[in-house]
Amino acid sequence: MDFLRRARGERFRPVEQQALEQLPDDVWHKCLGCRELLYEKDFEANLHVCPRCGHHHRLTVSQRIESLADPGTFAETDHELRSLDPLGFTIRDRRYLDRLREAEESAGVPEAVVSGTASLDGRPISLAVMVMEYLGGAVGSVAGEKITRTVERACDEQRALIIVSQSGGMRMHEGLFSLMQMAKSSAALARLERAHLPYISIIADQTYGGATASWVALGDIIIAEPGARVGFSGPRVLQAIKIRLPEETQKAEFMLQHGMVDLIIPRPQLRATVSALLRHLTSHCSARKAAPAPKRRRITVRSTEARE
Amino acid sequence: MDFLRRARGERFRPVEQQALEQLPDDVWHKCLGCRELLYEKDFEANLHVCPRCGHHHRLTVSQRIESLADPGTFAETDHELRSLDPLGFTIRDRRYLDRLREAEESAGVPEAVVSGTASLDGRPISLAVMVMEYLGGAVGSVAGEKITRTVERACDEQRALIIVSQSGGMRMHEGLFSLMQMAKSSAALARLERAHLPYISIIADQTYGGATASWVALGDIIIAEPGARVGFSGPRVLQAIKIRLPEETQKAEFMLQHGMVDLIIPRPQLRATVSALLRHLTSHCSARKAAPAPKRRRITVRSTEARE
Amino acid sequence: MNRHVTELEFERGLADIRTALERLEKAEAKGGPDVVAQANKVRASYDQALTEIYRDLTPWQRVLISRHPQRPRFLDYVATLFPDFIELHGDRHFGDDGAIVGGLATFADRSVMLVGEQKGRSTKENITRNFGMPHPEGYRKAERLMRTAGKFDLPIISFIDTSGASALQDDEARGVSWAIAECLKTQANLHVPIIAVVISEGMSGGAIAIAMGNRVLMLEHAVYSVIAPEACASQLWRDVSAAPEAAAAMQVSASQLLQLGLIDRVIPEPIGGAHRDPEVAAQYVQAALREEFSLLANEGLDWTTHRYEHYRHLGRMELLMDGSQTTGNGRH
Amino acid sequence: MNRHVTELEFERGLADIRTALERLEKAEAKGGPDVVAQANKVRASYDQALTEIYRDLTPWQRVLISRHPQRPRFLDYVATLFPDFIELHGDRHFGDDGAIVGGLATFADRSVMLVGEQKGRSTKENITRNFGMPHPEGYRKAERLMRTAGKFDLPIISFIDTSGASALQDDEARGVSWAIAECLKTQANLHVPIIAVVISEGMSGGAIAIAMGNRVLMLEHAVYSVIAPEACASQLWRDVSAAPEAAAAMQVSASQLLQLGLIDRVIPEPIGGAHRDPEVAAQYVQAALREEFSLLANEGLDWTTHRYEHYRHLGRMELLMDGSQTTGNGRH
Ligand SMILES: [Zn+2]
Ligand SMILES: [Zn+2]
């Protein structure tokens, strides 16, 4: 398993395949934060967080799902959705459809979102995880559709919603279809809000653009991983419009300081925190189940004598 | 009529009495903004706004009501409410009850709020006007009660709510009873909000403290008069806690710039603006009256063919 | 028609005719029937040339038109179509953004809430308006006014004209993404109808933020895009000068987007573009809005559900079946 | 009990006994039964003296106690009573105010939303917490969390400890009055129960902003006032040194406010005040909250209406009838 290349997003293969190819010289990895050499088993056990400097390296989508869902409960949904090329988009004779095929091959998954149902400490969840390795997590019709269906499934099946986001922005190859995913997913989240179901939005490193400005920002609780880069315009857009933001700006810590993010949670504590939050935000459900809500009536607890 | 003394809040008598006492040397008034001598009739006709510099001098409560309500439609409510002295409050043997009696005599009204019903261009309104001349517009139990009843009357009789505020803050002589008026009036305004009835909050010069931090800030539309001083802590509180704010801070224009106020409207245009706003905000009522709302049904206007 | 507008690169051919015409028109007043006849002829050939140029514009040319400095702005339409507009200021939290303007007005005998993005014209106004790039407080003002419209059952008309939301450090600090997302959610929740009109540039998240209409209209030469063509070119072509190709590839023009089912109506512009005849352009916008209004007013729709279904179905995809690919779509 | 706290002016009499006791206690460990007996005697007289001092405190003395630097803060109660507290940050608009802390926790087997004003202790912490004077973003965070509680049907417990909201230029610019008013309106609209506990200083609008409980509790030596006594003295007495008279006149202490019907319950404090025994103080708060909780949990109340009626009747006034004054009240 070539971890370093994978971490840089150059290449990604499913865990199983990686395991087969694992070679002796791969058991040590250099931390991207502090350059320390880390023993792979410890590194994996610590969810790709450097035990020395705390740098959070990217998780594969299956590791991410495993880190959140109860073992064996994840059932993938909408795996069969595939992008089309509605605009016949080519860049110097390079077709978008070819680009998609390459992305699928290199990422090991067929879209920038993997979605499904699972449970977390026994509570039913609807889960979507974004995949940076697939076209930089760029959001097109299918990614938007999968997010939207994940939200709708939460509504329809009374599940809590969890979305782990990382995205370079909107997928330009699908033009305005991509932009419309912001509206589509926000509309679904508005429905979830009206249903009073909880949504925990988790920000992994590098979350930009349309994702940030729709589902990422609309969590009841928003959690970021330490050091995660998050913002509106991604670095390549900023470069194109010739804007340089100070280093610290588009960071989880900056967003926490400015009131946008509820919590920064190191990955090893993430699952427990999400579980506790879900317990709180769904506690009224169990209360309701335990005893049917009594009819509301107007009474005054305190004596009116004491009042005047 | 001794306008200058009255404008400084030292003395106030009902319009009728003033007219009787009017002396020849009172026909000219010096503008508090530009020191220009103004002919009284012009000054009155221009609603106490200096035609030269635009300075907005204080209106008496009856002038204020006349400037907003359709002629002859104002019916005062809750005139019979009087403050008590729930704490037995004395300052160096000077009793609060005596202070109240003096305030009533000098202000010509028995409380810091005058309230009633009226119409404005035919639309039913519930109106409250604060009276700076009565204890500096300080809010105690009765002022809070009158505001609250004015809000409730709007709810109960489907009237639009208009409150013209000016207040030095909460009335310390009634202790926590005064502070509770913020909660009481806000609760009434929450009811009004749930009833979808419009509330236009008008800020006249010198609006501070508990009034600002409850009903003043909760208008659907918030209008300030030009140059009106408005803020959280009044100048005397700031002096007591040794804070000096830059001159421009607690001003209508500052609040507009910082997004707190919808509009700054010169007094001569105030009535027309409020009328137009009420027309808009109550237009759905007339629409509903004109035709009973059809049952809602789900249809899709656009062809689904065009969409994919 | 105003022929004295800044001519764009692809209109270069007009200059000679226009100069000739200008000379003739000066003479026309005191000249004989000959001069008038000749002026008429040149006028006709000017109109002909203009018509030909505008008959088949490329998407990139439309991008240039949509950014034309004399193109009518939101407040120009307001002045013509909504003479009783009362502007309402502020987000009640932080500031009053000049790049988004909103307020109450009457249209077709109904009270409406207007919200629009506003670019400036003078340098001074451009600073006030931040070149039409809204700050977070602009979106929060828009959201507040839309909620007010919802509370009082007023239809909303939004006007889109932006090269994108402002994206500097202060905008990040005040949560520009959060403000846009809240705007979208609020529109999704509203039970009143929303008509969105893309009048010039509709770029990226800063545009969709206030464009979540039950009906989405576009002016003929307006553009609406997931990203500015320059930024697209710089990222996908690695060459900013490929912006025209990027604009073409992304299909940013009104007719293309109508064809794709992404917008609902194209509002025609006068020959030579809205900036050559803002009055006529405003009349066209008015006519389109009147039609939309009569459509909306006669329906007792659940606008929230209508909007949900409107956006729910946007996206093109296929379903992979048994290993073989079958073309389908994303509906369910 | 911790006797090593900063003694207040009116506790001056304690110092001699405490010094004697400290000397004896050092000897006690290795001393004979005589020393122990004497130590016990002096301990008893210390307790006696303390009890006497605290038996009949003036309102102003309670003001001083409520501001005692070692008095337990919101987060001290959280640490003891809500060990699983998860703090949630930010107002989603501008910042994360240190003077208001909020989050989720479990109490009496129920999930609750906690919101509290937090003063610092060290200079550094006091800067972070702005000496417990919330900025607008603090109230907006509180309001957001209360709305979250409403959405998910969670009871709210608020802890009040502030000398007032921050009132500098930036606070005005970000609308401190607006933030407080919105907080009040949100609480009024919530359908979940709210329990407010004034733990130390509850001054002015900055206190009521998060104190609109269905039940309002106060610690025995806490104070709750329309304005800080100093500000009242400076305005009404024209002499800031009249603060003790002002505190007395405004009846700011818990027992007085209970008597007046303005609060619902007084939570006792250990002898010598909460700061001498924070553990016991926390137990008393816990016991009171448990009782309130069993009260609240068993009722299927419409909490919105309950809260409305609770505040609707606050105020004392009379109705003037036929020119003669009849004592009455403001209810209708
Ligand atoms: Zn490291
Ligand atoms: Zn003047």
Side-chain angles (χ1 to χ4, degrees), chain C residues 45-323:
Chain C
S45 75
Y46 177 90
D47 290 355
Q48 173 83 26
L50 197 62
T51 307
E52 270 163 30
I53 292 169
Y54 274 74
R55 181 174 297 148
D56 217 17
L57 293 165
T58 66
W60 177 246
Q61 286 167 339
R62 291 188 212 253
V63 170
L64 297 177
I65 295 168
S66 79
R67 295 172 180 168
H68 192 287
Q70 283 145 302
R71 193 166 169 86
R73 308 299 192 207
F74 169 45
L75 287 178
D76 297 320
Y77 291 105
V78 169
T80 315
L81 306 187
F82 309 94
D84 73 343
F85 177 64
I86 302 175
E87 183 173 355
L88 301 174
H89 294 267
D91 68 344
R92 301 272 170 97
H93 280 78
F94 182 84
D96 181 42
D97 189 21
I100 289 192
V101 173
L104 292 160
T106 312
F107 185 78
D109 296 326
R110 278 194 72 166
S111 293
V112 295
M113 184 66 82
L114 302 180
V115 173
E117 286 161 334
Q118 177 67 21
K119 291 182 184 175
R121 225 166 236 130
S122 64
T123 308
K124 199 186 144 201
E125 203 200 350
N126 264 323
I127 290 165
T128 317
R129 306 290 182 192
N130 196 33
F131 298 85
M133 295 184 292
H135 294 294
E137 51 272 25
Y139 294 108
R140 292 195 173 114
K141 171 165 67 175
E143 198 234 333
R144 171 177 87 85
L145 294 178
M146 289 185 186
R147 269 188 287 112
T148 301
K151 181 174 176 184
F152 296 108
D153 261 347
L154 306 176
I156 295 164
I157 310 178
S158 69
F159 289 77
I160 291 88
D161 184 10
T162 185
S163 60
S166 190
L168 301 181
Q169 186 181 28
D170 283 350
D171 302 299
E172 289 284 6
R174 299 198 296 270
V176 61
S177 305
W178 274 251
I180 290 172
E182 289 290 340
C183 240
L184 290 170
K185 194 180 69 178
T186 292
Q187 286 168 90
N189 274 327
L190 284 175
H191 68 278
V192 296
I194 304 174
I195 302 172
V197 191
V198 182
I199 53 173
S200 295
E201 261 195 298
M203 291 300 169
S204 192
I208 181 68
I210 60 164
M212 210 169 146
N214 294 83
R215 299 281 291 169
V216 180
L217 284 49
M218 267 182 85
L219 262 72
E220 187 181 353
H221 304 313
V223 293
Y224 193 6
S225 179
V226 65
I227 192 167
E230 291 89 339
C232 177
S234 130
Q235 285 180 70
L236 295 188
W237 275 258
R238 306 268 166 202
D239 175 8
V240 72
S241 71
E245 286 95 314
M250 291 193 295
Q251 305 202 17
V252 300
S253 69
S255 58
Q256 291 170 316
L257 294 171
L258 184 73
Q259 193 71 31
L260 291 166
L262 285 161
I263 63 160
D264 300 290
R265 176 195 280 260
V266 178
I267 304 173
E269 295 192 24
I271 290 166
H275 58 294
R276 281 201 169 76
D277 211 332
E279 284 295 311
V280 170
Q283 282 166 28
Y284 290 165
V285 171
Q286 186 173 42
L289 283 178
R290 276 191 182 279
E291 270 192 46
E292 295 294 335
F293 248 67
S294 62
L295 233 162
L296 298 188
N298 292 331
E299 302 287 352
L301 275 182
D302 174 348
W303 295 111
T304 316
T305 303
H306 175 262
R307 203 176 302 107
Y308 195 85
E309 301 196 340
H310 188 124
Y311 289 91
R312 182 65 193 87
H313 297 129
L314 295 185
R316 292 247 178 120
M317 62 209 80
E318 60 180 0
L319 274 166
L320 197 73
M321 305 262 200
D322 311 316

Side-chain angles (χ1 to χ4, degrees), chain A residues 31-36 38 50-55 57:
Chain A
C31 169
L32 292 173
C34 66
R35 305 283 148 194
E36 179 88 349
L38 305 168
C50 172
R52 190 162 165 258
C53 75
H55 185 87
H57 301 78

